[in-house]
Amino acid sequence: MHAGPTAIYALTPHGMRTAARLASLPDIQVYAPTSLCRAHPGFTARPFERLADLVGEIFHACSAHIFSGATGIAVRCIAPHLAGKDRD
């Protein structure tokens, strides 16, 4: 297991509400599309333009990744960074 924050990717308005509830837990970092960040100015999330690029940048620096969105998107974003089911 990697030492580091837990990354939460809020990909929808509902995901933002879920992330808002989890954000008070220790060592949580929330990421959301720039458009969602603009629509929810009272909630602190780090904006991103391309999810796959963000996941590639921070994948190994985080201890866990939580995606609030479509499963297929999550799988496509993490797949290139996995070593194998016996090691991840």
Side-chain angles (χ1 to χ4, degrees):
M1 180 183 239
H2 304 285
T6 295
I8 299 177
Y9 308 97
L11 306 178
T12 65
H14 180 72
M16 286 291 276
R17 290 189 293 276
T18 301
R21 291 194 305 269
L22 296 173
S24 63
L25 296 172
D27 217 11
I28 297 288
Q29 180 57 61
V30 178
Y31 300 90
T34 302
S35 59
L36 272 180
C37 290
R38 285 189 199 120
H40 295 84
F43 181 71
T44 304
R46 293 187 183 177
F48 66 85
E49 294 298 324
R50 289 186 29 86
L51 180 61
D53 293 343
L54 171 63
V55 172
E57 291 171 22
I58 67 170
F59 187 79
H60 293 290
C62 295
S63 60
H65 300 267
I66 299 171
F67 291 81
S68 184
T71 303
I73 293 169
V75 170
R76 283 190 298 276
C77 287
I78 67 170
H81 309 288
L82 301 176
K85 62 183 178 182
D86 61 332
R87 289 174 275 178
D88 293 314

